[in-house]
């Protein structure tokens, strides 16, 4: 194995001057340390409504929207293979 040598020196006032390698390590590792120390939080893309009736209405409207989109794909498709692939994709989403 090879070992990397880190060089640092002191200036005329006997102050430590970091090497380029030291500076680059600090630049690269500092943001990574910040990311690693933060706790993972759930995505805020969807928060359920506290009212069960509103929540049900919202979910029903999503299903209706998806159904309309599926119907649009069926009406526009000219080839069966294209339709089959689009249906698979939209059902996965």
């Amino acid at each position: 194995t090879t070992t990397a040598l880190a060089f640092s020196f002191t200036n005329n006032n006997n102050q430590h001057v970091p090497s380029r390698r030291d500076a680059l390590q600090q630049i690269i590792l500092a943001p990574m340390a910040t990311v690693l120390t933060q706790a993972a939080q759930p995505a805020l893309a969807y928060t359920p409504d506290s009212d069960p009736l509103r929540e049900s209405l919202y979910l029903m409207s999503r299903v209706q929207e998806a159904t309309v989109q599926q119907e649009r794909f069926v009406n526009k498709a000219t080839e069966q293979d294209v339709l089959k692939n689009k249906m698979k994709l939209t059902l996965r989403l």
Side-chain angles (χ1 to χ4, degrees):
T1 62
T2 61
T3 57
L5 297 175
F7 295 104
S8 61
F9 57 92
T10 56
N11 63 8
N12 293 340
N13 298 334
N14 286 333
Q15 294 176 338
H16 175 74
V17 178
S19 67
R20 286 186 196 165
R21 178 173 290 154
D22 293 337
L24 286 174
Q25 284 177 345
Q26 287 179 354
I27 290 170
I28 293 170
L29 295 179
M32 290 175 59
T34 303
V35 169
L36 294 175
T37 57
Q38 292 178 349
Q41 297 179 357
L44 300 175
Y46 172 72
T47 54
D49 200 318
S50 59
D51 182 15
L53 180 59
R54 268 195 198 165
E55 181 69 16
S56 297
L57 288 173
Y58 171 74
L59 294 175
M60 287 172 51
S61 69
R62 293 290 307 267
V63 169
Q64 182 182 16
E65 180 184 333
T67 305
V68 169
Q69 186 178 16
Q70 292 289 342
E71 289 175 355
R72 198 175 317 128
F73 284 144
V74 170
N75 291 337
K76 284 187 174 183
T78 55
E79 295 181 19
Q80 202 65 19
D81 291 337
V82 173
L83 175 63
K84 182 179 172 183
N85 291 335
K86 282 188 177 182
M87 292 291 262
K88 280 184 181 179
L89 177 65
T90 56
L91 289 174
R92 275 190 236 142
L93 298 176

